Structure formats: C-alpha cells, structure tokens
C-alpha cells in the first residue's frame, strides 16, 4: 500500500493581482511548508473544516 503525501505550491507576488514580482516556492510536505512560514515570519490561520 502506498501513502500519499501532500505537497504545496506557494504563489508569491508584490501585489494582489499578481502583476509584479511574481514567483513561486514548492514545499514537499507539511513540515517544509511550516518551515517556510516560520522563516518568513508569516502567521497563517487555517480555516476550520465544518464538515
């Protein structure tokens, strides 16, 4: 049995319309994503799943 691991594509830009300074970053797994946020000193609030 194989296990699926989530990966994350983080899109970055200087503006909300993504017209200036665009780029991206790939995080292989949740630990890498959390590290990316910590290094950038980003505070992320994840929405709650109400299902």
């Amino acid at each position: 049995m194989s296990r699926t691991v989530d990966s994350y594509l983080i899109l970055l830009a200087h503006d909300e319309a993504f017209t200036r300074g665009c780029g991206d970053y790939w995080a292989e797994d949740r630990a890498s994503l959390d590290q990316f946020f910590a290094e950038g000193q980003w505070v992320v609030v994840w929405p709650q799943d109400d299902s």
Side-chain angles (χ1 to χ4, degrees):
M1 175 189 281
S2 64
R3 181 173 172 260
T4 302
V5 177
D6 293 330
S7 57
Y8 305 87
L9 177 62
I10 305 161
L11 303 176
L12 306 167
H14 290 290
D15 62 337
E16 285 186 33
F18 280 78
T19 60
R20 297 183 306 109
C22 301
D24 59 29
Y25 180 84
W26 186 261
E28 308 182 352
D29 53 26
R30 180 62 188 260
S32 299
L33 180 66
D34 291 340
Q35 181 179 1
F36 178 85
F37 291 152
E39 288 175 6
Q41 298 180 344
W42 291 7
V43 176
V44 177
V45 179
W46 298 100
Q48 296 298 314
D49 183 6
D50 293 332
S51 58

